[in-house]
Amino acid sequence: MNEKPKRGQTLDQNSSTIAIILIAVGVIFLLGNIGLFAGIGRLWPLIPVGIGIWMLYGKNAPSVTVKHEQFTVPLDEATSAEVKLHFPVGETTVQSATDPARLLDADLTYVGDIHFVNDGTTQKYVSLSQSGGSVVQWLNPANWFHSDKLEWKLRLSPEIPLALEIHGGVGESRLDLSHLNLTALSVNGGVGEMNITLPAQGNYETHLQIGVGELNITVPPGAAVQAAIKGGVGECNLRLPADAAVRLRARTGIGDINLPKHFQRLSNSDDSLGISKSGIWETSNFGSAANPIIIDYEGGVGELNVR
């Protein structure tokens, strides 16, 4: 004889089903916010998403303690460095260091635990990350309202060449890399808005992965950039100098490509269904430029806007 499910088990199953429905509805309306569906509000979809996540995870998550700590890495004898940053839940800013004797200054207000690595002498390796369990803890809505703002403030040395690897978190990120001496830049976006200003000097390869949200990239005047950008779910806005010499190769999934009028199309694929768009564009001064900008964009869900 089959045993009937207990009432508590049925309620848990129903809660999980409702939670999944709420998350799905929220995602659909968030897609509307990036232009796939018109006439949908900008912020209210976060409400069902938040309720659904809380029903699945947050109600059983323990309350968390907000912590504040500072980390520093002296420059000492370092001639180059590899720096890996895993952004947290909250707001993150990255700027140039003001103290020439410091490779890294970090002022952190956070939840969970921090993993910090500082290794090497002339070739430094520095890693700063937040424990994955802190994200699950933060999902409890009771932990969303603290008097202390969750925030990372990071400063990196412009004095030596840096290979910089960044993994996005949950929240807004502002990366002013304009004065850094980069040899390589790799960014894997998280959830939220990320704003990046690239270095004005140097010859380096850039790999950018959009997560879920908006990615804004600013290229300063005089910069020679070779960047590969891979789309996720969200909008990518690329801001270029007015007289920039640019070659853009783009392929989109669900979305559009919006370019200034002075971009000349060299080739394109035949897409009769209108689902994806692709092509190669150049500015008229690209062939003779000393510092060209080369962009390879592979889109996901969302628009590419070049300004």
Side-chain angles (χ1 to χ4, degrees), residues 74-80 118-125:
L75 195 59
D76 291 337
E77 302 174 19
T79 57
S80 65
N118 175 20
D119 194 17
T121 305
T122 57
Q123 295 181 332
K124 300 283 287 185
Y125 173 79

Side-chain angles (χ1 to χ4, degrees), residues 70 245 247:
Q70 293 180 326
R247 178 183 176 92

Side-chain angles (χ1 to χ4, degrees), residues 184-258:
L185 174 63
S186 175
V187 177
N188 191 344
V191 179
E193 181 179 336
M194 180 174 286
N195 301 281
I196 305 175
T197 301
L198 297 177
Q201 304 296 328
N203 187 7
Y204 58 93
E205 289 190 3
T206 301
H207 297 272
L208 305 174
Q209 168 80 51
I210 303 172
V212 178
E214 183 175 323
L215 176 63
N216 300 308
I217 306 165
T218 300
V219 179
V225 176
Q226 184 174 343
I229 304 172
K230 189 171 183 179
V233 179
E235 186 176 280
C236 180
N237 299 306
L238 185 59
R239 297 179 175 88
L240 305 175
D243 59 346
V246 185
R247 178 183 176 92
L248 170 68
R249 183 174 64 178
R251 301 170 298 280
T252 65
I254 301 176
D256 206 348
I257 301 174
N258 301 306

